[in-house]
Amino acid sequence: MRLKAEQLEAALNKNLAPVYLIAGDEPLQLGEAADAVRRAAKKAGFENREVLTVDAHFEWASLGESADSFSIFADKKIIDLRLPSGKPGAEGAKAFTEYCARLPEDTLLLITSGKLDSASLKSKWAQALDKVGVIIQIWPPSGQDLINWLQNRMANKGLSGDQEGLRLLAGRVEGNLLAAAQEIEKLFVLHGPKQLSRHDIESAVADSSRYDVFNLCDAMLAGKTGRILKMLQGLKSEGTAEPLVLWALTRDIRLLISIKAARYQGFSKDQALRNAHVWENRKGLVLGAEQRLKLTQLNKALLMSTEADRRIKGASKGSAWDTLTQICLLIGGAEVMAETI
Amino acid sequence: MTITPDLLPWQEADWQHLVRYITGQRIPQAVLFAGNKGIGKSRLAERFAHSLLCSQTDTNGLPCGQCHSCQLVNAQTHPDYIRLNPEEPGKAIKVDQIRHILSVLSLKPQYEANRVVIVEPADQLNISAVNAFLKFLEEPSERTVLLLITDKPSRLPATLMSRCQKVYFSKPDPERVKQWLFDQGIKKDSELLLSVSKGSPLLALDYASNNTLELRRKCFDQWLDIAALRTHPYIVSEQWVKLDPALLLTWITGWVTDLIKCCFHLPAERLINRDLFEDLHKSAQTLELSRLYSVYDLMLTSRNRIDTQLNKQLLFDELLIEWAQLNEK
């Protein structure tokens, strides 16, 4: 059974499944969901807990052994399996399917894993887990979802804020929910339960937002200039490798060109997007950028990318980040300084 | 059985020159073999190396094939026969490799004849590798001969060049090569093959056996498609990087060279790509010569970049976008 993270609490109150798989790259929600399962299990009498961590030297046989052995301290136990890579491999897949085919009594298997790709979710072992247990995927909230999440979290503490304040908070903690939770704790300690003003938040909350290159690409396609600059600054100060940024940017530039070319050849919007394998949730962004930009601009962006590549590799003088910024701004629709190349 | 390569028909004079080093007993410490790609430099260097390693060469300077050294050479286990190549094709020869070799070369050769080190391609020695090598080149250990092979001698630093005896290989006589190609079983297109390979026989043979002319025609059509705005440069460059980037760069440089020649109304026989004369001639009429030259300049710059760490797809993107833009007006 697939559940959303918000539905977990209610489902746990009803009954306990024999297997839980919680997967995602966002540590706060992942930890909280796993804690909720452990709490509910403890309440139901699962007193003992065995922790198994999957690393390079992990023996998958120990999962079966652990399932078959009885605890000397309690009747019921939790096997807490941690799979940080999100990839159990052939052996792990076999161990999971075998476990699901022959569920041991009075044992609850809790798997916390890194992000699972769609191929793993369709795999045999995931299907087997899905049949007997619960699978929860954790997604980091963004945009309005993040604001709602913050609002809920603050409401739990008796705090509230106006839309403007919440937006400010969201901007400062985006992509870093651990920091978000801490900032809310801090606000609670400072102010107690009350209605917070924008000023309260501004003066207390530091910028701990974190982005990856894909966030940057989305901002670039959406044409949000301020966001582009902030993200580039963030990526740079975090020490993100420039080739990675360039790779992500050129990938999207080429994507836009291929869609433009397909449209030029008479394909419909939907066909062009489908042929280019654009994900459902990115379609709007991609199409918007495609309509905003001319082919000459895209060509220019690609030429600037070659310059950025030379700067990264030291074959040309100057800062690669400057060129990367120019590319983002050109695609983002704010062609400033772009004439320098 | 001996594995010493046969002499190719156009190498007689070069070989005699090398043999005189041995018969005259004035073997240089370093010889640079420079000449176009596919002309047989490696084969000749190998042949020369075998002669140097043999302890009883005959009066023509040829290896005896009987002595212990020759047996080891044939078994490819001669301890005094060292080859230095990049760890991966197309990458640089690193300073660590040189340091490793130097520690071996600081000892005496194991057999009584010469020790030979073949460095190929010498232009792929990176700058620190060259510097680590210089000292040894100047004062090599006894009975040690270095053979450096390159098709881009202009890329070697002067400090390296000045320490070597140079043997330059000129373009072989076309009639002779055509006969040779015929003997190798290439019955048609030999004229064109030779022209496309810039007169290098082995390269021409390689092109013929890999059907390279067909691939070249396909790539040329794509190139014309870009000019006619029927396709986008990036779609073509995506396919081209999967082929042989250095070869493709040579081709498009050749096409642009021929376009420039067409602008000056040179006849078809003066072009590198005679078979493409019609298309090139037609294309040249619409192009602006000065901008054609700037694309040509970019190609030459790109030739120096193609062996570096730069992203090859972006490199072709740039070339092809410039080419497309040249055709826009």
Side-chain angles (χ1 to χ4, degrees):
Chain A
M1 183 175 42
R2 301 278 178 92
L3 283 182
K4 285 184 179 156
E6 308 87 80
Q7 299 168 326
L8 177 64
E9 202 74 41
L12 286 172
N13 284 336
K14 247 189 274 167
N15 64 333
L16 274 177
V19 181
Y20 286 89
L21 168 63
I22 307 172
D25 277 342
E26 200 285 293
L28 181 79
Q29 285 174 295
L30 189 72
E32 288 186 340
D35 278 344
V37 173
R38 288 184 200 116
R39 229 176 9 250
K42 197 164 184 181
K43 218 162 86 212
F46 291 84
E47 292 282 345
N48 197 17
R49 185 157 72 99
E50 274 180 46
V51 179
L52 304 174
T53 306
V54 179
D55 53 18
H57 312 293
F58 183 71
E59 299 274 347
W60 279 99
S62 59
L63 175 63
E65 278 166 27
S66 177
D68 290 336
S69 60
F70 294 102
S71 166
I72 49 170
F73 301 111
D75 302 338
K76 298 177 172 182
K77 70 170 175 184
I78 308 176
I79 302 176
D80 193 340
L81 184 87
R82 293 163 192 194
L83 183 68
S85 67
K87 290 192 171 58
E91 264 184 83
K94 197 166 149 233
F96 282 143
T97 35
E98 273 172 14
Y99 185 94
C100 294
R102 199 173 53 88
L103 286 173
E105 279 174 50
D106 296 332
T107 307
L108 186 148
L109 176 62
L110 168 64
I111 307 163
T112 42
S113 110
K115 194 172 157 192
L116 295 177
D117 50 29
S118 55
S120 327
L121 276 170
K122 280 185 202 132
S123 65
K124 229 176 183 176
W125 63 269
Q127 300 281 353
L129 291 180
D130 196 32
K131 208 179 273 173
V132 297
V134 174
I135 295 183
I136 298 161
Q137 274 184 283
I138 303 285
W139 299 105
S142 60
Q144 189 57 40
D145 285 345
L146 177 61
I147 294 178
N148 293 344
W149 186 89
L150 289 170
Q151 207 164 14
N152 279 337
R153 190 118 190 148
M154 284 166 73
N156 287 345
K157 291 274 172 202
L159 291 164
S160 63
D162 52 12
Q163 197 62 26
E164 206 186 337
L166 283 170
R167 287 189 73 84
L168 177 78
L169 183 59
R172 290 197 174 177
V173 298
E174 190 179 0
N176 190 352
L177 289 192
L178 285 171
Q182 275 184 9
E183 294 295 354
I184 292 171
E185 293 284 336
K186 188 164 83 184
L187 287 168
F188 177 69
V189 172
L190 284 174
H191 298 284
K194 77 168 232 197
Q195 162 94 27
L196 297 172
S197 69
R198 183 194 158 93
H199 177 75
D200 292 333
I201 293 174
E202 195 163 30
S203 57
V205 177
D207 186 4
S208 40
S209 53
R210 293 193 58 193
Y211 305 103
D212 59 31
V213 287
F214 303 107
N215 300 135
L216 175 67
C217 286
D218 286 353
M220 173 177 84
L221 294 180
K224 292 183 177 165
T225 321
R227 218 169 134 71
I228 290 170
L229 292 173
K230 185 178 173 210
M231 285 183 174
L232 276 167
Q233 194 55 45
L235 288 171
K236 185 180 172 185
S237 51
E238 254 186 64
T240 311
E242 295 120 316
L244 182 68
V245 182
L246 181 65
W247 165 79
L249 297 184
T250 46
R251 199 184 62 145
D252 272 3
I253 296 169
R254 293 193 177 119
L255 173 71
L256 291 175
I257 293 174
S258 70
I259 289 176
K260 234 185 177 39
R263 298 269 287 131
Y264 184 75
Q265 285 168 0
F267 285 98
S268 74
K269 279 180 200 167
D270 284 334
Q271 275 172 323
L273 287 169
R274 206 171 325 122
N275 291 348
H277 304 294
V278 179
W279 287 356
E280 196 59 46
N281 54 357
R282 286 191 92 209
K283 280 185 178 172
L285 274 178
V286 172
L287 218 51
E290 190 264 323
Q291 276 159 5
R292 183 177 67 231
L293 293 159
K294 289 198 282 283
L295 189 62
T296 47
Q297 287 173 305
L298 292 170
N299 282 344
K300 193 170 175 182
L302 215 44
L303 288 181
M304 283 157 78
S305 305
T306 67
E307 172 64 16
D309 185 49
R310 285 199 282 273
R311 287 187 173 194
I312 291 169
K313 313 276 167 70
S316 169
K317 279 190 184 136
S319 153
W321 285 103
D322 288 352
T323 320
L324 292 173
T325 311
Q326 286 179 11
I327 297 168
C328 288
L329 291 176
L330 170 61
I331 300 292
E335 198 176 347
V336 289
M337 303 185 291
E339 283 307 314
T340 51
I341 179 157
Chain B
M1 203 195 83
T2 168
I3 59 159
T4 304
D6 291 331
L7 205 57
L8 295 165
W10 56 91
Q11 291 179 326
E12 194 53 48
D14 296 318
W15 175 246
Q16 289 311 324
H17 177 76
L18 290 172
V19 162
R20 275 198 295 277
Y21 284 142
I22 299 178
T23 52
Q25 294 188 335
R26 38 177 196 91
I27 300 167
Q29 86 270 23
V31 187
L32 179 73
F33 289 68
N36 281 348
K37 196 177 162 189
I39 213 161
K41 297 184 297 298
S42 305
R43 287 179 68 143
L44 201 64
E46 234 169 78
R47 193 177 159 91
F48 186 48
H50 290 182
S51 289
L52 288 170
L53 289 164
C54 175
S55 49
Q56 306 157 354
T57 45
D58 62 18
T59 44
N60 296 324
L62 286 171
C64 66
Q66 306 297 323
C67 68
H68 193 47
S69 274
C70 284
Q71 284 170 3
L72 283 169
V73 167
N74 289 337
Q76 302 186 333
T77 48
H78 201 300
D80 290 339
Y81 186 23
I82 302 167
R83 277 186 161 275
L84 190 56
N85 305 102
E87 282 165 353
E88 289 170 57
K91 294 276 160 64
I93 298 176
K94 293 183 195 137
V95 67
D96 288 342
Q97 289 173 271
I98 296 286
R99 287 195 185 124
H100 173 71
I101 295 275
L102 288 182
S103 70
V104 176
L105 294 182
S106 63
L107 305 170
K108 271 189 177 179
Q110 300 203 16
Y111 286 85
E112 66 271 29
N114 296 292
R115 173 163 58 190
V116 182
V117 183
I118 296 187
V119 183
E120 182 181 20
D123 51 278
Q124 291 287 56
L125 288 162
N126 70 17
I127 188 72
S128 27
V130 169
N131 287 336
F133 215 20
L134 285 181
K135 179 84 180 141
F136 182 80
L137 269 174
E138 205 158 62
E139 293 169 15
S141 43
E142 58 177 302
R143 288 183 285 125
T144 300
V145 185
L146 287 149
L147 305 180
L148 298 128
I149 305 175
T150 180
D151 49 30
K152 303 175 191 101
S154 60
R155 276 207 215 160
L156 296 180
T159 44
L160 184 80
M161 292 284 273
S162 65
R163 285 163 168 85
C164 301
Q165 289 287 322
K166 289 159 227 60
V167 180
Y168 289 101
F169 294 84
S170 50
K171 205 190 274 190
D173 172 40
E175 287 311 315
R176 207 169 200 186
V177 174
K178 252 182 264 171
Q179 182 57 44
W180 179 76
L181 280 175
F182 191 80
D183 295 343
Q184 303 298 314
I186 311 299
K187 312 286 187 220
K188 57 168 193 167
D189 289 340
S190 58
E191 184 111 358
L192 177 63
L193 280 166
L194 215 51
S195 154
V196 171
S197 60
K198 306 227 170 74
S200 300
L202 297 179
L203 206 55
L205 183 64
D206 185 44
Y207 283 1
S209 51
N210 290 330
N211 260 340
T212 310
L213 284 180
E214 222 168 88
L215 178 70
R216 168 172 155 279
R217 180 71 222 191
K218 192 175 145 233
C219 292
F220 183 70
D221 287 339
Q222 286 179 317
W223 198 59
L224 289 181
D225 280 347
I226 293 175
L229 304 180
R230 279 193 293 267
T231 183
H232 190 274
Y234 116 86
I235 294 166
V236 175
S237 69
E238 203 169 38
Q239 296 171 16
W240 283 13
V241 282
K242 291 181 195 137
L243 306 171
D244 179 349
L247 180 61
L248 272 157
L249 189 57
T250 320
W251 285 349
I252 49 177
T253 314
W255 299 335
V256 172
T257 314
D258 281 352
L259 277 175
I260 295 175
K261 285 182 184 169
C262 284
C263 286
F264 287 108
H265 306 294
L266 287 181
E269 19 333 332
R270 300 281 298 276
L271 300 194
I272 304 168
N273 308 281
R274 285 160 221 189
D275 58 324
L276 310 175
F277 178 72
E278 299 273 312
D279 290 315
L280 287 167
H281 194 72
K282 209 168 84 192
S283 176
Q285 283 166 350
T286 57
L287 296 175
E288 201 182 314
L289 187 60
S290 65
R291 290 184 61 201
L292 199 53
Y293 270 119
S294 69
V295 170
Y296 182 67
D297 282 345
L298 180 65
M299 305 236 160
L300 296 186
T301 325
S302 301
R303 260 162 75 147
N304 287 330
R305 287 172 178 159
I306 194 93
D307 290 332
T308 62
Q309 296 294 320
L310 291 173
N311 185 321
K312 296 193 178 35
Q313 192 176 350
L314 281 172
L315 189 128
F316 277 115
D317 280 340
E318 183 182 28
L319 281 171
L320 297 178
I321 288 176
E322 292 290 352
W323 165 242
Q325 287 176 349
L326 177 66
N327 281 282
E328 262 168 26
K329 280 153 204 166

